[in-house]
Amino acid sequence: MDGNVDEEYETALEIAMGGRMASIVVEDEEVAGVCVDILKSARAGRATFLPLNKIKRAPNNLTPPNINGVIDYAVNLIDFDDQYYDAFFHALGDTLIVEDRMTAQKLIGKYRMVVLDGSLYEKSAAITGGSLAQNRMKFSSSENKELEQAKKKLNDFQDE
């Protein structure tokens, strides 16, 4: 399952998804069971599988509150194949992406929100922020940029 995002929303969306970004979307629970069996028999670790046929159906056409500083629901800011809508909603829920801390502070307790800088405001009033780990999971546009930079470095090295 691939999701692409605009660069300005990457950090906020990566934080909004958190560890759920590592979930593996599969067709059904039978495929998930086979995958778990393979992991067990190979002693290859653990993974979380999301069977598309069992994920709770997501609401259609989420419209964000018309409040200054609110950008949109996180799920609306990701470009993906429609068949994965429920999986992305499962990972993001009704998380809002907002422009700044002031907007989040006005709405804290009403919504789960992520500020563009990556600060997370939970409905429970918990606030998480600080510097971001460099090794966190990223959306494909970030990975593509990193791959292009690595290719350029390799070409430069070969030219030398």
Side-chain angles (χ1 to χ4, degrees), residues 59-76:
N60 290 326
N61 302 331
L62 286 174
T63 304
N66 188 14
I67 298 170
N68 193 31
V70 172
I71 297 170
D72 203 344
Y73 282 104
V75 73
N76 293 339

Side-chain angles (χ1 to χ4, degrees), residues 92-112:
L92 294 162
D94 58 357
T95 302
L96 286 174
I97 304 301
V98 299
E99 291 178 0
D100 53 36
R101 183 177 65 187
M102 301 219 346
T103 303
Q105 287 173 340
K106 289 179 201 171
L107 300 172
I108 194 166
K110 296 178 184 177
Y111 301 95
R112 180 178 192 260

Side-chain angles (χ1 to χ4, degrees), residues 99-149:
E99 291 178 0
D100 53 36
R101 183 177 65 187
M102 301 219 346
T103 303
Q105 287 173 340
K106 289 179 201 171
L107 300 172
I108 194 166
K110 296 178 184 177
Y111 301 95
R112 180 178 192 260
M113 299 167 286
V114 181
V115 179
L116 291 176
D117 70 4
S119 299
L120 173 64
Y121 288 72
E122 297 285 359
K123 281 184 186 177
S124 68
I127 302 169
T128 304
S131 63
L132 298 171
Q134 295 301 315
N135 61 347
R136 71 185 192 277
M137 293 195 72
K138 297 180 181 181
F139 277 97
S140 60
S141 60
S142 296
E143 292 169 359
N144 290 342
K145 280 192 286 186
E146 290 172 12
L147 182 60
E148 289 304 316
Q149 290 172 347

Side-chain angles (χ1 to χ4, degrees), residues 1 25 52-53 55 57 80-88:
M1 179 175 79
V25 177
L52 280 175
N53 70 325
I55 295 174
R57 296 289 166 231
F80 52 83
D81 189 313
D82 288 343
Q83 72 177 349
Y84 299 116
Y85 180 73
D86 294 334
F88 274 97

